[in-house]
Amino acid sequence: MTLRIAVLDYGAGNVRSARRGFDAAGAVAEVVADPRKARQADALVVPGVGHFSSCLANLRISGLHEVLQAFIVEQRPVFGICVGMQLLYAGSEEGDEPGLALLPGAVVRFPSNAIVPHLGWDTIQVCDDLPSHDGALVEGLDGERLYFTHSYYSVPADESHVLATCRYGGTNFPCVVREGSVVGTQFHPEKSGAIGQRLLTNWLRSAATTSVA
């Protein structure tokens, strides 16, 4: 099954590289700004580059946040990238506005001893003893290097939602999370070459079994 992917365009950048990444992984991806059109897709991708509060305001103004909420309630596939993932949590230390609270947890800043942003290629570690469906998502990623650019990271309310971590500034932070039908990455898979594409291919294979559109 070839999934129809709506890459949400809410003025937060990075949409075209995200579209190319998912196309290369085997989907039919389209940049979408119209909530009605996004609702017709099989799965949603929430990219994001920039400040949490600004991105959040743009997402709410666009009306796409309501489509996101509906997808998550209906257990339909959603993939969040970097700030696009962070927006799904209840809030962030990067701004005073509450997040969408579609995922349990919050977003915090790296400690003061860390140089921010965390920028460039870094190694990730897949968590031990993952359930089979989670293990399939991160298959082939353990010990690989992927591309990061961020000063904040998510802290899920349930550690079982964390599938892989990265260590930076003395902190082990989640870099792949999964909650229900939602997958999020702190790194940019679309900018991470063959390894990033491997993750997207894994996700598309998983999402094809859960999409109901």
Side-chain angles (χ1 to χ4, degrees):
M1 176 182 178
T2 300
L3 290 185
R4 296 170 293 122
I5 304 293
V7 179
L8 302 186
D9 183 4
Y10 58 100
N14 207 40
V15 292
R16 286 170 181 79
S17 61
R19 177 187 60 76
R20 289 193 295 268
F22 282 89
D23 275 343
V28 175
E30 184 178 1
V31 175
V32 175
D34 183 345
R36 291 170 296 181
K37 192 169 186 179
R39 192 72 175 82
Q40 298 169 0
D42 297 316
L44 302 181
V45 172
V46 193
V49 176
H51 190 277
F52 180 92
S53 293
S54 298
C55 291
L56 183 64
N58 288 344
L59 184 61
R60 285 187 165 127
I61 290 169
S62 72
L64 291 168
H65 70 294
E66 296 178 349
V67 182
L68 266 172
Q69 184 174 27
F71 263 65
I72 291 173
V73 168
E74 296 165 11
Q75 289 288 292
R76 298 173 65 187
V78 174
F79 195 110
I81 300 172
C82 197
V83 175
M85 173 193 72
Q86 294 178 3
L87 299 177
L88 304 178
Y89 286 95
S92 172
E93 292 181 354
E94 187 182 27
D96 299 326
E97 291 296 318
L100 298 178
L102 299 175
L103 293 181
V107 176
V108 301
R109 185 178 172 86
F110 279 113
S112 58
N113 63 306
I115 298 173
V116 294
H118 174 212
L119 178 62
W121 296 80
D122 211 341
T123 304
I124 74 168
Q125 295 80 42
V126 170
C127 297
D128 295 330
D129 301 322
L130 293 175
S132 59
H133 65 291
D134 289 339
L137 177 66
V138 291
E139 182 180 0
L141 270 66
D142 191 42
E144 298 288 356
R145 292 169 62 83
L146 293 106
Y147 185 79
F148 292 84
T149 174
H150 63 117
S151 300
Y152 297 79
Y153 61 92
S154 67
V155 181
D158 186 340
E159 290 186 2
S160 70
H161 298 168
V162 180
L163 308 191
T165 63
C166 179
R167 186 169 183 82
Y168 180 73
T171 299
N172 282 322
F173 66 89
C175 63
V176 183
V177 299
R178 186 175 207 162
E179 158 66 11
S181 65
V182 183
V183 169
T185 62
Q186 187 56 69
F187 54 81
H188 286 267
E190 79 283 5
K191 296 182 178 181
S192 296
I195 301 302
Q197 187 170 325
R198 182 182 300 169
L199 171 63
L200 298 184
T201 300
N202 291 348
W203 177 73
L204 289 171
R205 188 179 299 117
S206 171
T209 67
T210 58
S211 175
V212 296

